[in-house]
Amino acid sequence: AGLMRLVSAVSQSSSAAPDGARSARYRSDLAAALTDCAASVPCWIMPTWRVSQCLPATLRSFDLVVIDEASQSNVGAVLPLLRATRVLVVGDGKQVSPTAAFVSEARIGDLKAGLLRSRHPYIEQLLPERSVFDLAQTCYADARVALQQHFRCVPGCIAFSNEHFYHGRLLPR
């Protein structure tokens, strides 16, 4: 019953306008449904933007948090990692990174100045045009593993990428 309540709440909250008159109630219903069945579900899969809507902001509430396609996610996707005891960041530094095309250079300068005051050790990795993958590569350089098998592209596309970008190291499957 709890899982069916969750499915219904997810459907309802997904169809509502984020700032609509009912959205706060739908988010509350969703949070209650999640709390009721959290122990019954061993694995949660959701986009990073949905995490703050659906899961309580409790530090280390999950054994493992995986951020997939991290090279395409800006640093806003770091917040779900705070819910983890362990983290797995999956990405590819050769993929397209987030863009800062609509952020003025002055705004980026202000952000960088604020980060300098915080004495954060990886300031450049937190700027808008950087990804969660960039940050993880810097923070955990010794823990990096490069995957070699590739499953998603048609053979011609992966052959081109493999030759021009991956030095023949990918194994298409």
mmCIF file of all heavy atoms in Angstrom, residues 92 146-163 165-173:
data_model
loop_
_atom_site.group_PDB
_atom_site.id
_atom_site.type_symbol
_atom_site.label_atom_id
_atom_site.label_comp_id
_atom_site.label_asym_id
_atom_site.label_seq_id
_atom_site.Cartn_x
_atom_site.Cartn_y
_atom_site.Cartn_z
ATOM 1 N N ASP A 92 32.308 11.335 -18.092
ATOM 2 C CA ASP A 92 33.317 11.259 -19.142
ATOM 3 C C ASP A 92 33.787 12.679 -19.427
ATOM 4 O O ASP A 92 33.013 13.509 -19.895
ATOM 5 C CB ASP A 92 32.702 10.626 -20.389
ATOM 6 C CG ASP A 92 33.696 10.418 -21.510
ATOM 7 O OD1 ASP A 92 34.786 11.030 -21.486
ATOM 8 O OD2 ASP A 92 33.379 9.648 -22.423
ATOM 9 N N ALA A 146 38.891 4.224 -15.194
ATOM 10 C CA ALA A 146 38.395 4.464 -16.547
ATOM 11 C C ALA A 146 37.744 3.177 -17.062
ATOM 12 O O ALA A 146 38.375 2.124 -17.096
ATOM 13 C CB ALA A 146 39.531 4.879 -17.471
ATOM 14 N N LEU A 147 36.479 3.287 -17.422
ATOM 15 C CA LEU A 147 35.789 2.136 -17.998
ATOM 16 C C LEU A 147 36.193 2.003 -19.455
ATOM 17 O O LEU A 147 36.421 2.993 -20.146
ATOM 18 C CB LEU A 147 34.278 2.316 -17.872
ATOM 19 C CG LEU A 147 33.755 2.482 -16.443
ATOM 20 C CD1 LEU A 147 32.240 2.652 -16.463
ATOM 21 C CD2 LEU A 147 34.139 1.298 -15.584
ATOM 22 N N GLN A 148 36.254 0.782 -19.945
ATOM 23 C CA GLN A 148 36.691 0.558 -21.317
ATOM 24 C C GLN A 148 35.576 0.048 -22.218
ATOM 25 O O GLN A 148 35.623 0.240 -23.419
ATOM 26 C CB GLN A 148 37.849 -0.433 -21.343
ATOM 27 C CG GLN A 148 39.084 0.118 -20.669
ATOM 28 C CD GLN A 148 40.198 -0.895 -20.636
ATOM 29 O OE1 GLN A 148 39.975 -2.080 -20.498
ATOM 30 N NE2 GLN A 148 41.413 -0.410 -20.762
ATOM 31 N N GLN A 149 34.590 -0.625 -21.663
ATOM 32 C CA GLN A 149 33.537 -1.175 -22.496
ATOM 33 C C GLN A 149 32.490 -0.111 -22.786
ATOM 34 O O GLN A 149 32.153 0.693 -21.923
ATOM 35 C CB GLN A 149 32.894 -2.378 -21.819
ATOM 36 C CG GLN A 149 33.871 -3.525 -21.677
ATOM 37 C CD GLN A 149 33.238 -4.752 -21.069
ATOM 38 O OE1 GLN A 149 32.072 -4.750 -20.705
ATOM 39 N NE2 GLN A 149 34.014 -5.809 -20.960
ATOM 40 N N HIS A 150 31.995 -0.145 -24.013
ATOM 41 C CA HIS A 150 31.011 0.843 -24.437
ATOM 42 C C HIS A 150 29.812 0.132 -25.049
ATOM 43 O O HIS A 150 29.970 -0.705 -25.913
ATOM 44 C CB HIS A 150 31.634 1.812 -25.459
ATOM 45 C CG HIS A 150 30.712 2.903 -25.833
ATOM 46 N ND1 HIS A 150 30.572 4.029 -25.063
ATOM 47 C CD2 HIS A 150 29.843 3.024 -26.855
ATOM 48 C CE1 HIS A 150 29.666 4.812 -25.611
ATOM 49 N NE2 HIS A 150 29.216 4.217 -26.700
ATOM 50 N N PHE A 151 28.605 0.496 -24.599
ATOM 51 C CA PHE A 151 27.404 -0.223 -24.998
ATOM 52 C C PHE A 151 26.385 0.601 -25.775
ATOM 53 O O PHE A 151 25.448 0.062 -26.302
ATOM 54 C CB PHE A 151 26.682 -0.753 -23.743
ATOM 55 C CG PHE A 151 27.493 -1.729 -22.967
ATOM 56 C CD1 PHE A 151 28.336 -1.313 -21.959
ATOM 57 C CD2 PHE A 151 27.407 -3.085 -23.239
ATOM 58 C CE1 PHE A 151 29.082 -2.223 -21.227
ATOM 59 C CE2 PHE A 151 28.153 -4.002 -22.511
ATOM 60 C CZ PHE A 151 28.988 -3.571 -21.507
ATOM 61 N N ARG A 152 26.500 1.913 -25.817
ATOM 62 C CA ARG A 152 25.369 2.736 -26.228
ATOM 63 C C ARG A 152 25.346 3.248 -27.661
ATOM 64 O O ARG A 152 24.314 3.712 -28.091
ATOM 65 C CB ARG A 152 25.263 3.940 -25.304
ATOM 66 C CG ARG A 152 24.905 3.553 -23.908
ATOM 67 C CD ARG A 152 24.486 4.775 -23.158
ATOM 68 N NE ARG A 152 25.113 4.796 -21.857
ATOM 69 C CZ ARG A 152 25.050 5.786 -21.030
ATOM 70 N NH1 ARG A 152 24.429 6.872 -21.351
ATOM 71 N NH2 ARG A 152 25.628 5.717 -19.873
ATOM 72 N N CYS A 153 26.434 3.264 -28.370
ATOM 73 C CA CYS A 153 26.450 3.899 -29.693
ATOM 74 C C CYS A 153 26.417 2.873 -30.827
ATOM 75 O O CYS A 153 26.827 1.735 -30.652
ATOM 76 C CB CYS A 153 27.716 4.739 -29.864
ATOM 77 S SG CYS A 153 27.714 6.244 -28.899
ATOM 78 N N VAL A 154 25.968 3.344 -31.964
ATOM 79 C CA VAL A 154 26.071 2.514 -33.159
ATOM 80 C C VAL A 154 27.560 2.367 -33.484
ATOM 81 O O VAL A 154 28.360 3.263 -33.170
ATOM 82 C CB VAL A 154 25.289 3.115 -34.351
ATOM 83 C CG1 VAL A 154 23.801 3.136 -34.072
ATOM 84 C CG2 VAL A 154 25.783 4.498 -34.685
ATOM 85 N N PRO A 155 27.950 1.264 -34.080
ATOM 86 C CA PRO A 155 29.380 0.990 -34.288
ATOM 87 C C PRO A 155 30.154 2.110 -34.985
ATOM 88 O O PRO A 155 31.287 2.411 -34.590
ATOM 89 C CB PRO A 155 29.364 -0.289 -35.134
ATOM 90 C CG PRO A 155 28.082 -0.959 -34.744
ATOM 91 C CD PRO A 155 27.103 0.155 -34.498
ATOM 92 N N GLY A 156 29.588 2.746 -36.011
ATOM 93 C CA GLY A 156 30.306 3.811 -36.714
ATOM 94 C C GLY A 156 30.624 4.998 -35.827
ATOM 95 O O GLY A 156 31.723 5.569 -35.902
ATOM 96 N N CYS A 157 29.682 5.388 -34.996
ATOM 97 C CA CYS A 157 29.903 6.535 -34.093
ATOM 98 C C CYS A 157 30.978 6.226 -33.071
ATOM 99 O O CYS A 157 31.875 7.040 -32.836
ATOM 100 C CB CYS A 157 28.611 6.899 -33.376
ATOM 101 S SG CYS A 157 27.393 7.695 -34.421
ATOM 102 N N ILE A 158 30.890 5.059 -32.446
ATOM 103 C CA ILE A 158 31.872 4.753 -31.414
ATOM 104 C C ILE A 158 33.249 4.517 -32.025
ATOM 105 O O ILE A 158 34.266 4.849 -31.425
ATOM 106 C CB ILE A 158 31.436 3.586 -30.510
ATOM 107 C CG1 ILE A 158 32.285 3.563 -29.237
ATOM 108 C CG2 ILE A 158 31.489 2.266 -31.216
ATOM 109 C CD1 ILE A 158 32.272 4.840 -28.440
ATOM 110 N N ALA A 159 33.296 3.988 -33.245
ATOM 111 C CA ALA A 159 34.589 3.790 -33.908
ATOM 112 C C ALA A 159 35.275 5.134 -34.148
ATOM 113 O O ALA A 159 36.487 5.284 -33.918
ATOM 114 C CB ALA A 159 34.407 3.041 -35.226
ATOM 115 N N PHE A 160 34.511 6.136 -34.579
ATOM 116 C CA PHE A 160 35.065 7.477 -34.799
ATOM 117 C C PHE A 160 35.595 8.053 -33.482
ATOM 118 O O PHE A 160 36.732 8.524 -33.398
ATOM 119 C CB PHE A 160 34.000 8.403 -35.397
ATOM 120 C CG PHE A 160 34.488 9.810 -35.587
ATOM 121 C CD1 PHE A 160 35.190 10.166 -36.727
ATOM 122 C CD2 PHE A 160 34.262 10.782 -34.613
ATOM 123 C CE1 PHE A 160 35.666 11.465 -36.905
ATOM 124 C CE2 PHE A 160 34.727 12.073 -34.771
ATOM 125 C CZ PHE A 160 35.427 12.423 -35.928
ATOM 126 N N SER A 161 34.754 8.035 -32.450
ATOM 127 C CA SER A 161 35.163 8.579 -31.145
ATOM 128 C C SER A 161 36.356 7.818 -30.593
ATOM 129 O O SER A 161 37.281 8.411 -30.037
ATOM 130 C CB SER A 161 34.003 8.504 -30.155
ATOM 131 O OG SER A 161 32.971 9.350 -30.552
ATOM 132 N N ASN A 162 36.320 6.519 -30.734
ATOM 133 C CA ASN A 162 37.393 5.684 -30.217
ATOM 134 C C ASN A 162 38.726 6.044 -30.875
ATOM 135 O O ASN A 162 39.753 6.171 -30.204
ATOM 136 C CB ASN A 162 37.057 4.207 -30.442
ATOM 137 C CG ASN A 162 37.861 3.288 -29.561
ATOM 138 O OD1 ASN A 162 38.501 3.704 -28.600
ATOM 139 N ND2 ASN A 162 37.836 2.004 -29.889
ATOM 140 N N GLU A 163 38.685 6.256 -32.170
ATOM 141 C CA GLU A 163 39.918 6.583 -32.902
ATOM 142 C C GLU A 163 40.413 7.992 -32.589
ATOM 143 O O GLU A 163 41.604 8.212 -32.351
ATOM 144 C CB GLU A 163 39.674 6.460 -34.410
ATOM 145 C CG GLU A 163 40.885 6.803 -35.247
ATOM 146 C CD GLU A 163 40.602 6.733 -36.742
ATOM 147 O OE1 GLU A 163 39.621 6.103 -37.142
ATOM 148 O OE2 GLU A 163 41.376 7.354 -37.499
ATOM 149 N N PHE A 165 39.365 10.262 -30.066
ATOM 150 C CA PHE A 165 39.363 10.809 -28.706
ATOM 151 C C PHE A 165 39.848 9.843 -27.632
ATOM 152 O O PHE A 165 40.333 10.265 -26.595
ATOM 153 C CB PHE A 165 37.962 11.294 -28.323
ATOM 154 C CG PHE A 165 37.441 12.349 -29.247
ATOM 155 C CD1 PHE A 165 36.463 12.053 -30.188
ATOM 156 C CD2 PHE A 165 37.936 13.642 -29.199
ATOM 157 C CE1 PHE A 165 35.987 13.020 -31.050
ATOM 158 C CE2 PHE A 165 37.467 14.619 -30.059
ATOM 159 C CZ PHE A 165 36.488 14.308 -30.993
ATOM 160 N N TYR A 166 39.673 8.540 -27.856
ATOM 161 C CA TYR A 166 39.982 7.561 -26.809
ATOM 162 C C TYR A 166 41.185 6.682 -27.144
ATOM 163 O O TYR A 166 41.458 5.717 -26.449
ATOM 164 C CB TYR A 166 38.747 6.695 -26.525
ATOM 165 C CG TYR A 166 37.604 7.495 -25.972
ATOM 166 C CD1 TYR A 166 36.591 7.955 -26.814
ATOM 167 C CD2 TYR A 166 37.543 7.810 -24.621
ATOM 168 C CE1 TYR A 166 35.542 8.714 -26.320
ATOM 169 C CE2 TYR A 166 36.487 8.563 -24.128
ATOM 170 C CZ TYR A 166 35.497 9.014 -24.970
ATOM 171 O OH TYR A 166 34.467 9.753 -24.473
ATOM 172 N N HIS A 167 41.890 7.006 -28.228
ATOM 173 C CA HIS A 167 43.134 6.319 -28.597
ATOM 174 C C HIS A 167 42.972 4.808 -28.721
ATOM 175 O O HIS A 167 43.872 4.051 -28.343
ATOM 176 C CB HIS A 167 44.255 6.669 -27.617
ATOM 177 C CG HIS A 167 44.370 8.135 -27.351
ATOM 178 N ND1 HIS A 167 44.805 9.024 -28.332
ATOM 179 C CD2 HIS A 167 44.065 8.887 -26.275
ATOM 180 C CE1 HIS A 167 44.780 10.246 -27.822
ATOM 181 N NE2 HIS A 167 44.326 10.200 -26.600
ATOM 182 N N GLY A 168 41.786 4.381 -29.177
ATOM 183 C CA GLY A 168 41.533 2.961 -29.407
ATOM 184 C C GLY A 168 41.332 2.132 -28.161
ATOM 185 O O GLY A 168 41.333 0.897 -28.221
ATOM 186 N N ARG A 169 41.123 2.767 -27.015
ATOM 187 C CA ARG A 169 41.002 2.031 -25.748
ATOM 188 C C ARG A 169 39.602 1.517 -25.447
ATOM 189 O O ARG A 169 39.418 0.697 -24.555
ATOM 190 C CB ARG A 169 41.468 2.898 -24.586
ATOM 191 C CG ARG A 169 42.983 3.061 -24.565
ATOM 192 C CD ARG A 169 43.396 3.894 -23.410
ATOM 193 N NE ARG A 169 43.069 5.277 -23.746
ATOM 194 C CZ ARG A 169 43.688 6.335 -23.272
ATOM 195 N NH1 ARG A 169 44.631 6.193 -22.395
ATOM 196 N NH2 ARG A 169 43.369 7.531 -23.659
ATOM 197 N N LEU A 170 38.580 2.013 -26.171
ATOM 198 C CA LEU A 170 37.208 1.563 -25.909
ATOM 199 C C LEU A 170 36.938 0.233 -26.583
ATOM 200 O O LEU A 170 37.414 -0.022 -27.691
ATOM 201 C CB LEU A 170 36.206 2.595 -26.390
ATOM 202 C CG LEU A 170 36.186 3.922 -25.665
ATOM 203 C CD1 LEU A 170 35.123 4.824 -26.263
ATOM 204 C CD2 LEU A 170 35.949 3.738 -24.183
ATOM 205 N N LEU A 171 36.184 -0.592 -25.918
ATOM 206 C CA LEU A 171 35.796 -1.887 -26.452
ATOM 207 C C LEU A 171 34.279 -1.854 -26.717
ATOM 208 O O LEU A 171 33.497 -2.022 -25.785
ATOM 209 C CB LEU A 171 36.122 -2.998 -25.470
ATOM 210 C CG LEU A 171 37.588 -3.076 -25.003
ATOM 211 C CD1 LEU A 171 37.738 -4.085 -23.887
ATOM 212 C CD2 LEU A 171 38.487 -3.426 -26.179
ATOM 213 N N PRO A 172 33.869 -1.641 -27.973
ATOM 214 C CA PRO A 172 32.423 -1.619 -28.265
ATOM 215 C C PRO A 172 31.799 -2.981 -27.993
ATOM 216 O O PRO A 172 32.398 -4.016 -28.284
ATOM 217 C CB PRO A 172 32.366 -1.271 -29.752
ATOM 218 C CG PRO A 172 33.728 -0.788 -30.102
ATOM 219 C CD PRO A 172 34.683 -1.372 -29.129
ATOM 220 N N ARG A 173 30.626 -3.006 -27.471
ATOM 221 C CA ARG A 173 29.889 -4.254 -27.189
ATOM 222 C C ARG A 173 28.548 -4.225 -27.858
ATOM 223 O O ARG A 173 27.873 -3.302 -27.926
ATOM 224 C CB ARG A 173 29.685 -4.444 -25.693
ATOM 225 C CG ARG A 173 30.958 -4.535 -24.918
ATOM 226 C CD ARG A 173 31.590 -5.884 -25.090
ATOM 227 N NE ARG A 173 32.853 -5.876 -24.366
ATOM 228 C CZ ARG A 173 33.826 -6.688 -24.673
ATOM 229 N NH1 ARG A 173 33.727 -7.538 -25.634
ATOM 230 N NH2 ARG A 173 34.936 -6.644 -23.997
#
